[in-house]
Amino acid sequence: MKRVAVNPWGWSVKLGYNQAEVFEGASRQVICAGQTAVDAEGRPQHAGDMRAQIDLALDNLEAVLAGAGMTLADVTRLGVFATDVDAALKNFDLMGKRFGPHQVAPPMTLLGVTRLAVPGLMFEIEATAAA
């Protein structure tokens, strides 16, 4: 799969994402449900700890992708939801630590929400991937 970044302006690249990407030659696409900080039984973890919730949500996203035979390198779009955008942004270095080694910066939307589906959860990430 060929992947070409589209960035008419450079500011988003400094924040870790591209404005758009053009994909050619992809033959499979995976659409992941939102991943949160839950354990294998779906129980919320790390109440009140945004950093730990982001880290576990990313672990869960990687597990779902692995189940589909993909990695973070294959992610083509992200949707991120946080009950506290400022707290999420303070911990976005975790996103760079996960996506950076794959040298990808998928287009992303970050939205502040009043709550997520399960009380106590503060961060949710959904992804589309292609290979």
Side-chain angles (χ1 to χ4, degrees):
M1 176 176 73
K2 181 179 175 188
R3 185 175 190 145
V4 178
V6 178
N7 289 301
W9 319 277
W11 62 264
S12 67
V13 175
K14 294 174 190 171
L15 296 174
Y17 68 95
N18 292 314
Q19 290 292 318
E21 291 182 334
V22 177
F23 297 91
E24 294 179 20
S27 60
R28 289 183 345 124
Q29 184 177 30
V30 174
I31 300 171
C32 301
Q35 299 301 306
T36 59
V38 296
D39 65 14
E41 284 73 42
R43 292 183 299 249
Q45 303 294 302
H46 311 299
D49 186 341
M50 179 66 80
R51 187 169 188 82
Q53 285 201 18
I54 292 171
D55 202 39
L56 182 52
L58 288 167
D59 286 347
N60 290 340
L61 176 59
E62 286 190 279
V64 170
L65 290 168
M70 295 189 181
T71 70
L72 293 177
D74 300 306
V75 172
T76 60
R77 184 167 191 327
L78 293 169
V80 178
F81 308 90
T83 60
D84 183 338
V85 171
D86 292 329
L89 288 172
K90 285 178 188 172
N91 293 287
F92 252 47
D93 63 299
L94 293 171
M95 300 285 282
K97 287 177 182 177
R98 298 292 186 100
F99 285 91
H102 297 284
Q103 298 181 336
V104 296
M108 173 189 336
T109 299
L110 168 61
L111 294 173
V113 296
T114 56
R115 65 164 280 195
L116 296 172
V118 177
L121 292 177
M122 304 182 299
F123 184 87
E124 186 165 347
I125 185 168
E126 60 184 22
T128 300

mmCIF file with all atom_site columns, all heavy atoms in Angstrom, residues 29-55:
data_model
loop_
_atom_site.group_PDB
_atom_site.id
_atom_site.type_symbol
_atom_site.label_atom_id
_atom_site.label_alt_id
_atom_site.label_comp_id
_atom_site.label_asym_id
_atom_site.label_entity_id
_atom_site.label_seq_id
_atom_site.pdbx_PDB_ins_code
_atom_site.Cartn_x
_atom_site.Cartn_y
_atom_site.Cartn_z
_atom_site.occupancy
_atom_site.B_iso_or_equiv
_atom_site.pdbx_formal_charge
_atom_site.auth_seq_id
_atom_site.auth_comp_id
_atom_site.auth_asym_id
_atom_site.auth_atom_id
_atom_site.pdbx_PDB_model_num
ATOM 1   N N   . GLN A 1 29 ? -9.572  -3.529  4.530  1.00 0.00 ? 29 GLN A N   1
ATOM 2   C CA  . GLN A 1 29 ? -9.855  -2.420  5.429  1.00 0.00 ? 29 GLN A CA  1
ATOM 3   C C   . GLN A 1 29 ? -10.498 -2.971  6.697  1.00 0.00 ? 29 GLN A C   1
ATOM 4   O O   . GLN A 1 29 ? -11.340 -3.863  6.631  1.00 0.00 ? 29 GLN A O   1
ATOM 5   C CB  . GLN A 1 29 ? -10.785 -1.401  4.774  1.00 0.00 ? 29 GLN A CB  1
ATOM 6   C CG  . GLN A 1 29 ? -11.033 -0.182  5.632  1.00 0.00 ? 29 GLN A CG  1
ATOM 7   C CD  . GLN A 1 29 ? -11.905 0.846   4.931  1.00 0.00 ? 29 GLN A CD  1
ATOM 8   O OE1 . GLN A 1 29 ? -12.753 0.506   4.114  1.00 0.00 ? 29 GLN A OE1 1
ATOM 9   N NE2 . GLN A 1 29 ? -11.704 2.097   5.259  1.00 0.00 ? 29 GLN A NE2 1
ATOM 10  N N   . VAL A 1 30 ? -10.089 -2.437  7.837  1.00 0.00 ? 30 VAL A N   1
ATOM 11  C CA  . VAL A 1 30 ? -10.652 -2.813  9.123  1.00 0.00 ? 30 VAL A CA  1
ATOM 12  C C   . VAL A 1 30 ? -11.170 -1.553  9.799  1.00 0.00 ? 30 VAL A C   1
ATOM 13  O O   . VAL A 1 30 ? -10.465 -0.539  9.850  1.00 0.00 ? 30 VAL A O   1
ATOM 14  C CB  . VAL A 1 30 ? -9.595  -3.486  10.032 1.00 0.00 ? 30 VAL A CB  1
ATOM 15  C CG1 . VAL A 1 30 ? -10.143 -3.751  11.417 1.00 0.00 ? 30 VAL A CG1 1
ATOM 16  C CG2 . VAL A 1 30 ? -9.098  -4.769  9.397  1.00 0.00 ? 30 VAL A CG2 1
ATOM 17  N N   . ILE A 1 31 ? -12.387 -1.609  10.294 1.00 0.00 ? 31 ILE A N   1
ATOM 18  C CA  . ILE A 1 31 ? -12.973 -0.494  11.039 1.00 0.00 ? 31 ILE A CA  1
ATOM 19  C C   . ILE A 1 31 ? -13.135 -0.958  12.472 1.00 0.00 ? 31 ILE A C   1
ATOM 20  O O   . ILE A 1 31 ? -13.886 -1.899  12.750 1.00 0.00 ? 31 ILE A O   1
ATOM 21  C CB  . ILE A 1 31 ? -14.313 -0.064  10.423 1.00 0.00 ? 31 ILE A CB  1
ATOM 22  C CG1 . ILE A 1 31 ? -14.080 0.370   8.970  1.00 0.00 ? 31 ILE A CG1 1
ATOM 23  C CG2 . ILE A 1 31 ? -14.954 1.049   11.252 1.00 0.00 ? 31 ILE A CG2 1
ATOM 24  C CD1 . ILE A 1 31 ? -15.329 0.621   8.185  1.00 0.00 ? 31 ILE A CD1 1
ATOM 25  N N   . CYS A 1 32 ? -12.405 -0.324  13.375 1.00 0.00 ? 32 CYS A N   1
ATOM 26  C CA  . CYS A 1 32 ? -12.392 -0.719  14.785 1.00 0.00 ? 32 CYS A CA  1
ATOM 27  C C   . CYS A 1 32 ? -13.403 0.092   15.580 1.00 0.00 ? 32 CYS A C   1
ATOM 28  O O   . CYS A 1 32 ? -13.509 1.310   15.412 1.00 0.00 ? 32 CYS A O   1
ATOM 29  C CB  . CYS A 1 32 ? -11.012 -0.479  15.386 1.00 0.00 ? 32 CYS A CB  1
ATOM 30  S SG  . CYS A 1 32 ? -9.666  -1.348  14.582 1.00 0.00 ? 32 CYS A SG  1
ATOM 31  N N   . ALA A 1 33 ? -14.098 -0.570  16.466 1.00 0.00 ? 33 ALA A N   1
ATOM 32  C CA  . ALA A 1 33 ? -14.966 0.118   17.421 1.00 0.00 ? 33 ALA A CA  1
ATOM 33  C C   . ALA A 1 33 ? -14.087 0.936   18.363 1.00 0.00 ? 33 ALA A C   1
ATOM 34  O O   . ALA A 1 33 ? -12.880 0.703   18.475 1.00 0.00 ? 33 ALA A O   1
ATOM 35  C CB  . ALA A 1 33 ? -15.774 -0.906  18.217 1.00 0.00 ? 33 ALA A CB  1
ATOM 36  N N   . GLY A 1 34 ? -14.695 1.870   19.060 1.00 0.00 ? 34 GLY A N   1
ATOM 37  C CA  . GLY A 1 34 ? -13.962 2.666   20.030 1.00 0.00 ? 34 GLY A CA  1
ATOM 38  C C   . GLY A 1 34 ? -13.367 1.782   21.115 1.00 0.00 ? 34 GLY A C   1
ATOM 39  O O   . GLY A 1 34 ? -14.049 0.913   21.659 1.00 0.00 ? 34 GLY A O   1
ATOM 40  N N   . GLN A 1 35 ? -12.097 2.021   21.423 1.00 0.00 ? 35 GLN A N   1
ATOM 41  C CA  . GLN A 1 35 ? -11.394 1.268   22.455 1.00 0.00 ? 35 GLN A CA  1
ATOM 42  C C   . GLN A 1 35 ? -11.183 2.166   23.667 1.00 0.00 ? 35 GLN A C   1
ATOM 43  O O   . GLN A 1 35 ? -10.806 3.333   23.525 1.00 0.00 ? 35 GLN A O   1
ATOM 44  C CB  . GLN A 1 35 ? -10.060 0.742   21.925 1.00 0.00 ? 35 GLN A CB  1
ATOM 45  C CG  . GLN A 1 35 ? -10.215 -0.191  20.742 1.00 0.00 ? 35 GLN A CG  1
ATOM 46  C CD  . GLN A 1 35 ? -11.070 -1.396  21.072 1.00 0.00 ? 35 GLN A CD  1
ATOM 47  O OE1 . GLN A 1 35 ? -10.814 -2.115  22.035 1.00 0.00 ? 35 GLN A OE1 1
ATOM 48  N NE2 . GLN A 1 35 ? -12.112 -1.619  20.275 1.00 0.00 ? 35 GLN A NE2 1
ATOM 49  N N   . THR A 1 36 ? -11.408 1.606   24.831 1.00 0.00 ? 36 THR A N   1
ATOM 50  C CA  . THR A 1 36 ? -11.300 2.358   26.079 1.00 0.00 ? 36 THR A CA  1
ATOM 51  C C   . THR A 1 36 ? -10.398 1.601   27.050 1.00 0.00 ? 36 THR A C   1
ATOM 52  O O   . THR A 1 36 ? -9.828  0.574   26.713 1.00 0.00 ? 36 THR A O   1
ATOM 53  C CB  . THR A 1 36 ? -12.694 2.560   26.709 1.00 0.00 ? 36 THR A CB  1
ATOM 54  O OG1 . THR A 1 36 ? -13.272 1.266   26.940 1.00 0.00 ? 36 THR A OG1 1
ATOM 55  C CG2 . THR A 1 36 ? -13.611 3.383   25.810 1.00 0.00 ? 36 THR A CG2 1
ATOM 56  N N   . ALA A 1 37 ? -10.334 2.108   28.260 1.00 0.00 ? 37 ALA A N   1
ATOM 57  C CA  . ALA A 1 37 ? -9.506  1.503   29.310 1.00 0.00 ? 37 ALA A CA  1
ATOM 58  C C   . ALA A 1 37 ? -10.322 0.463   30.065 1.00 0.00 ? 37 ALA A C   1
ATOM 59  O O   . ALA A 1 37 ? -10.756 0.681   31.193 1.00 0.00 ? 37 ALA A O   1
ATOM 60  C CB  . ALA A 1 37 ? -8.986  2.578   30.255 1.00 0.00 ? 37 ALA A CB  1
ATOM 61  N N   . VAL A 1 38 ? -10.552 -0.683  29.408 1.00 0.00 ? 38 VAL A N   1
ATOM 62  C CA  . VAL A 1 38 ? -11.256 -1.785  30.060 1.00 0.00 ? 38 VAL A CA  1
ATOM 63  C C   . VAL A 1 38 ? -10.369 -3.020  30.020 1.00 0.00 ? 38 VAL A C   1
ATOM 64  O O   . VAL A 1 38 ? -9.516  -3.160  29.155 1.00 0.00 ? 38 VAL A O   1
ATOM 65  C CB  . VAL A 1 38 ? -12.625 -2.085  29.405 1.00 0.00 ? 38 VAL A CB  1
ATOM 66  C CG1 . VAL A 1 38 ? -13.577 -0.904  29.563 1.00 0.00 ? 38 VAL A CG1 1
ATOM 67  C CG2 . VAL A 1 38 ? -12.476 -2.473  27.945 1.00 0.00 ? 38 VAL A CG2 1
ATOM 68  N N   . ASP A 1 39 ? -10.600 -3.926  30.979 1.00 0.00 ? 39 ASP A N   1
ATOM 69  C CA  . ASP A 1 39 ? -9.845  -5.179  30.995 1.00 0.00 ? 39 ASP A CA  1
ATOM 70  C C   . ASP A 1 39 ? -10.516 -6.189  30.066 1.00 0.00 ? 39 ASP A C   1
ATOM 71  O O   . ASP A 1 39 ? -11.490 -5.868  29.373 1.00 0.00 ? 39 ASP A O   1
ATOM 72  C CB  . ASP A 1 39 ? -9.686  -5.714  32.423 1.00 0.00 ? 39 ASP A CB  1
ATOM 73  C CG  . ASP A 1 39 ? -10.994 -6.117  33.086 1.00 0.00 ? 39 ASP A CG  1
ATOM 74  O OD1 . ASP A 1 39 ? -12.041 -6.243  32.397 1.00 0.00 ? 39 ASP A OD1 1
ATOM 75  O OD2 . ASP A 1 39 ? -10.984 -6.312  34.314 1.00 0.00 ? 39 ASP A OD2 1
ATOM 76  N N   . ALA A 1 40 ? -10.019 -7.416  30.067 1.00 0.00 ? 40 ALA A N   1
ATOM 77  C CA  . ALA A 1 40 ? -10.514 -8.460  29.157 1.00 0.00 ? 40 ALA A CA  1
ATOM 78  C C   . ALA A 1 40 ? -11.975 -8.820  29.402 1.00 0.00 ? 40 ALA A C   1
ATOM 79  O O   . ALA A 1 40 ? -12.624 -9.398  28.533 1.00 0.00 ? 40 ALA A O   1
ATOM 80  C CB  . ALA A 1 40 ? -9.639  -9.706  29.272 1.00 0.00 ? 40 ALA A CB  1
ATOM 81  N N   . GLU A 1 41 ? -12.510 -8.477  30.568 1.00 0.00 ? 41 GLU A N   1
ATOM 82  C CA  . GLU A 1 41 ? -13.922 -8.733  30.868 1.00 0.00 ? 41 GLU A CA  1
ATOM 83  C C   . GLU A 1 41 ? -14.782 -7.486  30.667 1.00 0.00 ? 41 GLU A C   1
ATOM 84  O O   . GLU A 1 41 ? -15.968 -7.483  30.988 1.00 0.00 ? 41 GLU A O   1
ATOM 85  C CB  . GLU A 1 41 ? -14.086 -9.246  32.306 1.00 0.00 ? 41 GLU A CB  1
ATOM 86  C CG  . GLU A 1 41 ? -13.682 -10.704 32.495 1.00 0.00 ? 41 GLU A CG  1
ATOM 87  C CD  . GLU A 1 41 ? -12.167 -10.904 32.455 1.00 0.00 ? 41 GLU A CD  1
ATOM 88  O OE1 . GLU A 1 41 ? -11.447 -10.072 33.054 1.00 0.00 ? 41 GLU A OE1 1
ATOM 89  O OE2 . GLU A 1 41 ? -11.712 -11.863 31.821 1.00 0.00 ? 41 GLU A OE2 1
ATOM 90  N N   . GLY A 1 42 ? -14.193 -6.407  30.155 1.00 0.00 ? 42 GLY A N   1
ATOM 91  C CA  . GLY A 1 42 ? -14.944 -5.186  29.899 1.00 0.00 ? 42 GLY A CA  1
ATOM 92  C C   . GLY A 1 42 ? -15.121 -4.289  31.115 1.00 0.00 ? 42 GLY A C   1
ATOM 93  O O   . GLY A 1 42 ? -15.920 -3.363  31.085 1.00 0.00 ? 42 GLY A O   1
ATOM 94  N N   . ARG A 1 43 ? -14.353 -4.546  32.178 1.00 0.00 ? 43 ARG A N   1
ATOM 95  C CA  . ARG A 1 43 ? -14.453 -3.723  33.391 1.00 0.00 ? 43 ARG A CA  1
ATOM 96  C C   . ARG A 1 43 ? -13.555 -2.495  33.262 1.00 0.00 ? 43 ARG A C   1
ATOM 97  O O   . ARG A 1 43 ? -12.361 -2.620  32.946 1.00 0.00 ? 43 ARG A O   1
ATOM 98  C CB  . ARG A 1 43 ? -14.051 -4.527  34.615 1.00 0.00 ? 43 ARG A CB  1
ATOM 99  C CG  . ARG A 1 43 ? -15.027 -5.647  34.963 1.00 0.00 ? 43 ARG A CG  1
ATOM 100 C CD  . ARG A 1 43 ? -14.598 -6.364  36.228 1.00 0.00 ? 43 ARG A CD  1
ATOM 101 N NE  . ARG A 1 43 ? -13.276 -6.977  36.050 1.00 0.00 ? 43 ARG A NE  1
ATOM 102 C CZ  . ARG A 1 43 ? -13.053 -8.298  35.997 1.00 0.00 ? 43 ARG A CZ  1
ATOM 103 N NH1 . ARG A 1 43 ? -14.049 -9.149  36.158 1.00 0.00 ? 43 ARG A NH1 1
ATOM 104 N NH2 . ARG A 1 43 ? -11.835 -8.760  35.826 1.00 0.00 ? 43 ARG A NH2 1
ATOM 105 N N   . PRO A 1 44 ? -14.095 -1.300  33.534 1.00 0.00 ? 44 PRO A N   1
ATOM 106 C CA  . PRO A 1 44 ? -13.287 -0.080  33.476 1.00 0.00 ? 44 PRO A CA  1
ATOM 107 C C   . PRO A 1 44 ? -12.097 -0.158  34.437 1.00 0.00 ? 44 PRO A C   1
ATOM 108 O O   . PRO A 1 44 ? -12.203 -0.706  35.529 1.00 0.00 ? 44 PRO A O   1
ATOM 109 C CB  . PRO A 1 44 ? -14.253 1.018   33.916 1.00 0.00 ? 44 PRO A CB  1
ATOM 110 C CG  . PRO A 1 44 ? -15.612 0.450   33.684 1.00 0.00 ? 44 PRO A CG  1
ATOM 111 C CD  . PRO A 1 44 ? -15.491 -1.026  33.903 1.00 0.00 ? 44 PRO A CD  1
ATOM 112 N N   . GLN A 1 45 ? -10.990 0.412   33.976 1.00 0.00 ? 45 GLN A N   1
ATOM 113 C CA  . GLN A 1 45 ? -9.751  0.431   34.756 1.00 0.00 ? 45 GLN A CA  1
ATOM 114 C C   . GLN A 1 45 ? -9.254  1.868   34.911 1.00 0.00 ? 45 GLN A C   1
ATOM 115 O O   . GLN A 1 45 ? -9.577  2.737   34.108 1.00 0.00 ? 45 GLN A O   1
ATOM 116 C CB  . GLN A 1 45 ? -8.669  -0.395  34.048 1.00 0.00 ? 45 GLN A CB  1
ATOM 117 C CG  . GLN A 1 45 ? -9.053  -1.835  33.771 1.00 0.00 ? 45 GLN A CG  1
ATOM 118 C CD  . GLN A 1 45 ? -9.236  -2.635  35.042 1.00 0.00 ? 45 GLN A CD  1
ATOM 119 O OE1 . GLN A 1 45 ? -8.336  -2.746  35.863 1.00 0.00 ? 45 GLN A OE1 1
ATOM 120 N NE2 . GLN A 1 45 ? -10.439 -3.181  35.219 1.00 0.00 ? 45 GLN A NE2 1
ATOM 121 N N   . HIS A 1 46 ? -8.458  2.111   35.926 1.00 0.00 ? 46 HIS A N   1
ATOM 122 C CA  . HIS A 1 46 ? -7.729  3.368   36.127 1.00 0.00 ? 46 HIS A CA  1
ATOM 123 C C   . HIS A 1 46 ? -8.638  4.585   36.292 1.00 0.00 ? 46 HIS A C   1
ATOM 124 O O   . HIS A 1 46 ? -8.432  5.629   35.659 1.00 0.00 ? 46 HIS A O   1
ATOM 125 C CB  . HIS A 1 46 ? -6.734  3.613   34.989 1.00 0.00 ? 46 HIS A CB  1
ATOM 126 C CG  . HIS A 1 46 ? -5.864  2.440   34.681 1.00 0.00 ? 46 HIS A CG  1
ATOM 127 N ND1 . HIS A 1 46 ? -5.001  1.886   35.609 1.00 0.00 ? 46 HIS A ND1 1
ATOM 128 C CD2 . HIS A 1 46 ? -5.738  1.681   33.561 1.00 0.00 ? 46 HIS A CD2 1
ATOM 129 C CE1 . HIS A 1 46 ? -4.373  0.863   35.063 1.00 0.00 ? 46 HIS A CE1 1
ATOM 130 N NE2 . HIS A 1 46 ? -4.800  0.708   33.831 1.00 0.00 ? 46 HIS A NE2 1
ATOM 131 N N   . ALA A 1 47 ? -9.615  4.489   37.162 1.00 0.00 ? 47 ALA A N   1
ATOM 132 C CA  . ALA A 1 47 ? -10.531 5.609   37.418 1.00 0.00 ? 47 ALA A CA  1
ATOM 133 C C   . ALA A 1 47 ? -9.751  6.870   37.778 1.00 0.00 ? 47 ALA A C   1
ATOM 134 O O   . ALA A 1 47 ? -8.844  6.833   38.614 1.00 0.00 ? 47 ALA A O   1
ATOM 135 C CB  . ALA A 1 47 ? -11.496 5.247   38.545 1.00 0.00 ? 47 ALA A CB  1
ATOM 136 N N   . GLY A 1 48 ? -10.076 7.965   37.114 1.00 0.00 ? 48 GLY A N   1
ATOM 137 C CA  . GLY A 1 48 ? -9.472  9.253   37.414 1.00 0.00 ? 48 GLY A CA  1
ATOM 138 C C   . GLY A 1 48 ? -8.063  9.460   36.884 1.00 0.00 ? 48 GLY A C   1
ATOM 139 O O   . GLY A 1 48 ? -7.467  10.502  37.109 1.00 0.00 ? 48 GLY A O   1
ATOM 140 N N   . ASP A 1 49 ? -7.497  8.495   36.160 1.00 0.00 ? 49 ASP A N   1
ATOM 141 C CA  . ASP A 1 49 ? -6.119  8.584   35.676 1.00 0.00 ? 49 ASP A CA  1
ATOM 142 C C   . ASP A 1 49 ? -6.117  8.601   34.145 1.00 0.00 ? 49 ASP A C   1
ATOM 143 O O   . ASP A 1 49 ? -6.101  7.550   33.498 1.00 0.00 ? 49 ASP A O   1
ATOM 144 C CB  . ASP A 1 49 ? -5.312  7.396   36.210 1.00 0.00 ? 49 ASP A CB  1
ATOM 145 C CG  . ASP A 1 49 ? -3.825  7.477   35.890 1.00 0.00 ? 49 ASP A CG  1
ATOM 146 O OD1 . ASP A 1 49 ? -3.433  8.234   34.974 1.00 0.00 ? 49 ASP A OD1 1
ATOM 147 O OD2 . ASP A 1 49 ? -3.058  6.756   36.561 1.00 0.00 ? 49 ASP A OD2 1
ATOM 148 N N   . MET A 1 50 ? -6.138  9.807   33.576 1.00 0.00 ? 50 MET A N   1
ATOM 149 C CA  . MET A 1 50 ? -6.214  9.954   32.120 1.00 0.00 ? 50 MET A CA  1
ATOM 150 C C   . MET A 1 50 ? -5.043  9.264   31.432 1.00 0.00 ? 50 MET A C   1
ATOM 151 O O   . MET A 1 50 ? -5.230  8.560   30.432 1.00 0.00 ? 50 MET A O   1
ATOM 152 C CB  . MET A 1 50 ? -6.254  11.435  31.722 1.00 0.00 ? 50 MET A CB  1
ATOM 153 C CG  . MET A 1 50 ? -6.311  11.692  30.226 1.00 0.00 ? 50 MET A CG  1
ATOM 154 S SD  . MET A 1 50 ? -7.821  11.135  29.405 1.00 0.00 ? 50 MET A SD  1
ATOM 155 C CE  . MET A 1 50 ? -8.926  12.485  29.824 1.00 0.00 ? 50 MET A CE  1
ATOM 156 N N   . ARG A 1 51 ? -3.838  9.433   31.948 1.00 0.00 ? 51 ARG A N   1
ATOM 157 C CA  . ARG A 1 51 ? -2.666  8.842   31.290 1.00 0.00 ? 51 ARG A CA  1
ATOM 158 C C   . ARG A 1 51 ? -2.777  7.317   31.223 1.00 0.00 ? 51 ARG A C   1
ATOM 159 O O   . ARG A 1 51 ? -2.546  6.718   30.170 1.00 0.00 ? 51 ARG A O   1
ATOM 160 C CB  . ARG A 1 51 ? -1.389  9.265   32.007 1.00 0.00 ? 51 ARG A CB  1
ATOM 161 C CG  . ARG A 1 51 ? -0.144  8.827   31.270 1.00 0.00 ? 51 ARG A CG  1
ATOM 162 C CD  . ARG A 1 51 ? 1.119   9.479   31.838 1.00 0.00 ? 51 ARG A CD  1
ATOM 163 N NE  . ARG A 1 51 ? 2.266   9.192   30.997 1.00 0.00 ? 51 ARG A NE  1
ATOM 164 C CZ  . ARG A 1 51 ? 2.591   9.844   29.887 1.00 0.00 ? 51 ARG A CZ  1
ATOM 165 N NH1 . ARG A 1 51 ? 1.855   10.863  29.481 1.00 0.00 ? 51 ARG A NH1 1
ATOM 166 N NH2 . ARG A 1 51 ? 3.652   9.510   29.186 1.00 0.00 ? 51 ARG A NH2 1
ATOM 167 N N   . ALA A 1 52 ? -3.135  6.702   32.333 1.00 0.00 ? 52 ALA A N   1
ATOM 168 C CA  . ALA A 1 52 ? -3.269  5.241   32.356 1.00 0.00 ? 52 ALA A CA  1
ATOM 169 C C   . ALA A 1 52 ? -4.406  4.785   31.450 1.00 0.00 ? 52 ALA A C   1
ATOM 170 O O   . ALA A 1 52 ? -4.305  3.731   30.809 1.00 0.00 ? 52 ALA A O   1
ATOM 171 C CB  . ALA A 1 52 ? -3.477  4.752   33.786 1.00 0.00 ? 52 ALA A CB  1
ATOM 172 N N   . GLN A 1 53 ? -5.482  5.574   31.377 1.00 0.00 ? 53 GLN A N   1
ATOM 173 C CA  . GLN A 1 53 ? -6.598  5.197   30.499 1.00 0.00 ? 53 GLN A CA  1
ATOM 174 C C   . GLN A 1 53 ? -6.186  5.284   29.029 1.00 0.00 ? 53 GLN A C   1
ATOM 175 O O   . GLN A 1 53 ? -6.532  4.407   28.233 1.00 0.00 ? 53 GLN A O   1
ATOM 176 C CB  . GLN A 1 53 ? -7.824  6.061   30.783 1.00 0.00 ? 53 GLN A CB  1
ATOM 177 C CG  . GLN A 1 53 ? -8.519  5.675   32.071 1.00 0.00 ? 53 GLN A CG  1
ATOM 178 C CD  . GLN A 1 53 ? -9.964  6.129   32.123 1.00 0.00 ? 53 GLN A CD  1
ATOM 179 O OE1 . GLN A 1 53 ? -10.589 6.457   31.115 1.00 0.00 ? 53 GLN A OE1 1
ATOM 180 N NE2 . GLN A 1 53 ? -10.516 6.131   33.334 1.00 0.00 ? 53 GLN A NE2 1
ATOM 181 N N   . ILE A 1 54 ? -5.451  6.314   28.660 1.00 0.00 ? 54 ILE A N   1
ATOM 182 C CA  . ILE A 1 54 ? -4.978  6.417   27.272 1.00 0.00 ? 54 ILE A CA  1
ATOM 183 C C   . ILE A 1 54 ? -4.082  5.232   26.938 1.00 0.00 ? 54 ILE A C   1
ATOM 184 O O   . ILE A 1 54 ? -4.223  4.603   25.888 1.00 0.00 ? 54 ILE A O   1
ATOM 185 C CB  . ILE A 1 54 ? -4.236  7.749   27.030 1.00 0.00 ? 54 ILE A CB  1
ATOM 186 C CG1 . ILE A 1 54 ? -5.209  8.929   27.115 1.00 0.00 ? 54 ILE A CG1 1
ATOM 187 C CG2 . ILE A 1 54 ? -3.517  7.741   25.682 1.00 0.00 ? 54 ILE A CG2 1
ATOM 188 C CD1 . ILE A 1 54 ? -4.549  10.295  27.098 1.00 0.00 ? 54 ILE A CD1 1
ATOM 189 N N   . ASP A 1 55 ? -3.171  4.919   27.842 1.00 0.00 ? 55 ASP A N   1
ATOM 190 C CA  . ASP A 1 55 ? -2.229  3.824   27.613 1.00 0.00 ? 55 ASP A CA  1
ATOM 191 C C   . ASP A 1 55 ? -2.961  2.494   27.412 1.00 0.00 ? 55 ASP A C   1
ATOM 192 O O   . ASP A 1 55 ? -2.660  1.744   26.481 1.00 0.00 ? 55 ASP A O   1
ATOM 193 C CB  . ASP A 1 55 ? -1.254  3.747   28.793 1.00 0.00 ? 55 ASP A CB  1
ATOM 194 C CG  . ASP A 1 55 ? 0.034   3.045   28.440 1.00 0.00 ? 55 ASP A CG  1
ATOM 195 O OD1 . ASP A 1 55 ? 0.560   3.235   27.320 1.00 0.00 ? 55 ASP A OD1 1
ATOM 196 O OD2 . ASP A 1 55 ? 0.534   2.297   29.298 1.00 0.00 ? 55 ASP A OD2 1
#
